[in-house]
Amino acid sequence: MIDKKQPDEAGRLRTRARNTRALTLTTFFMAWGEQMIRQTAEQMWLRAFGGDAAVYALVRGRLESATAAISFFVTPLVAGLSDAVGRRALMIVSTFTIFGANTLPLFAPAHGTGRTTLLLLGARQMLYRIAIDLGQLVRQSSLGDMFAGNNAALAEATALDQALFPACKILAPLIGGALLQRNARLPWYLSCSSMGLQVLVSFRIGETLPKDMRLPFRWTVNANPLSFLTLFRRGQTMSVLGAMTMLARVGETGGQPLPAEQICNIHKANLLGWGVLERSRYESVNSVFRVAGLKLIAPAMRALNGSRGCMALTLTVYF
């Protein structure tokens, strides 16, 4: 008698491997394109404000707040839609939006000043960040679908996904900084090319949520931005993790008009006299240590202290 379960299992594993590779590539192309224009985008913002870092910080802070507010209301809707219609369509929409938003600054005037430049940069920032957040949500949901019941494999796949960002920051800022000294638009062209490849690869991602596991979309539940509060009713462990995440996010902003990393970049430019190449080299060196922490130090800490001890030690160092 022929065992049909074994071929089905082999096909499922091949599909999972193909989807995992495609998801990893979309993350890589997105992260590479984002880091390629890191210095260029910052320089465009400062030029648009006449080099006034204080006004730049104030406006960017308000823009970040508006973007976060929109994501706060839109994220539950996208989460509900992904459970109702599947992950693949929303992932493709997310990559298209990221690509489209990233091309907007290319239409700015060559001198990089004026209201048109500010509007294009602001629209790019809002659309890009919202699409990134929503894409990350769908990407994590897809990984959860593929590795359901296998927490070790899910943790490994998630760690690889998160490690791609600092890995891309090792070389992409160096290349972007060198190109910026030749032509301010060259980094944008390469960044948009990378984002375009992300769109193409997204079509290789198969649907990870079977139709029999989808949930109906309900406005009363999915349109409620406060639905995340239900996490605090799912046991002590989930409540503690949720509270830690919320406090960590509040600590990251600290009431500052810009994230601390961007403020540090402004100080390096204004106080230390660092140019584009110096800042890009610093970003590369910093990313080497971040990759080492993700791939070497963190697993070693977990092996020695366990998940709970690793988390406690990490939070102590962060504090």
Side-chain angles (χ1 to χ4, degrees):
M1 185 174 181
I2 299 176
D3 186 6
K4 295 183 179 181
K5 293 184 178 180
Q6 186 172 356
D8 291 344
E9 180 66 16
R12 188 182 67 83
L13 291 177
R14 285 195 298 270
T15 301
R16 188 177 72 177
R18 185 182 69 249
N19 287 338
T20 303
R21 288 194 297 269
L23 286 170
T24 301
L25 283 175
T26 57
T27 302
F28 170 78
F29 287 128
M30 184 268 293
W32 183 268
E34 179 179 339
Q35 298 304 321
M36 179 69 66
I37 57 171
R38 187 178 181 87
Q39 308 297 337
T40 309
E42 182 180 306
Q43 189 178 77
M44 286 186 68
W45 275 105
L46 286 172
R47 188 188 301 119
F49 288 107
D52 192 332
V55 177
Y56 163 62
L58 180 62
V59 174
R60 279 295 302 273
R62 293 175 178 175
L63 187 62
E64 295 283 352
S65 298
T67 303
I70 296 174
S71 294
F72 179 72
F73 289 100
V74 173
T75 299
L77 295 175
V78 174
L81 283 174
S82 70
D83 289 337
V85 303
R87 323 293 190 198
R88 184 174 185 269
L90 292 176
M91 177 62 71
I92 294 175
V93 170
S94 172
T95 57
F96 263 112
T97 306
I98 291 172
F99 172 74
N102 209 51
T103 60
L104 291 178
L106 292 176
F107 298 96
H111 51 77
T113 58
R115 180 174 297 181
T116 302
T117 300
L118 288 176
L119 288 176
L120 289 173
L121 287 174
R124 183 260 176 190
Q125 181 68 19
M126 293 189 69
L127 289 173
Y128 184 83
R129 294 315 313 173
I130 292 172
I132 287 289
D133 292 342
L134 300 184
Q136 185 70 11
L137 170 66
V138 178
R139 186 181 297 107
Q140 291 176 352
S141 299
S142 298
L143 290 175
D145 296 336
M146 293 187 294
F147 295 99
N150 191 343
N151 293 334
L154 176 60
E156 183 178 351
T158 304
L160 175 61
D161 187 76
Q162 294 178 351
L164 287 174
F165 284 90
C168 289
K169 287 181 66 175
I170 295 176
L171 290 178
L174 286 175
I175 298 174
L179 293 175
L180 178 59
Q181 291 191 320
R182 295 177 176 271
N183 190 313
R185 292 185 178 269
L186 282 179
W188 282 107
Y189 292 144
L190 287 181
S191 175
C192 290
S193 299
S194 183
M195 299 299 184
L197 290 174
Q198 179 195 207
V199 175
L200 295 178
V201 174
S202 67
F203 283 96
R204 294 284 299 169
I205 301 174
E207 181 55 60
T208 60
L209 185 65
K211 292 184 178 181
D212 58 347
M213 296 183 63
R214 298 179 187 179
L215 302 174
F217 183 86
R218 294 180 296 172
W219 282 99
T220 56
V221 176
N222 300 118
N224 182 10
L226 299 178
S227 58
F228 71 92
L229 293 175
T230 58
L231 293 175
F232 295 94
R233 298 201 301 265
R234 298 183 181 179
Q236 181 180 0
T237 302
M238 185 62 72
S239 299
V240 172
L241 290 174
M244 289 169 54
T245 302
M246 292 177 64
L247 291 174
R249 293 296 178 264
V250 173
E252 284 179 0
T253 56
Q256 296 175 354
L258 278 176
E261 189 173 4
Q262 294 180 0
I263 292 177
C264 288
N265 285 334
I266 295 175
H267 282 297
K268 292 166 195 171
N270 294 341
L271 300 180
L272 300 178
W274 283 8
V276 173
L277 283 179
E278 289 81 5
R279 281 182 287 163
S280 61
R281 289 167 182 168
Y282 173 83
E283 294 289 346
S284 299
V285 173
N286 182 42
S287 299
V288 170
F289 286 99
R290 291 186 63 186
V291 172
L294 284 170
K295 303 301 293 183
L296 299 176
I297 300 176
M301 289 170 56
R302 182 175 180 179
L304 293 174
N305 303 316
S307 298
R308 188 172 182 177
C310 179
M311 183 177 295
L313 183 58
T314 302
L315 291 175
T316 302
V317 173
Y318 180 81
F319 176 77

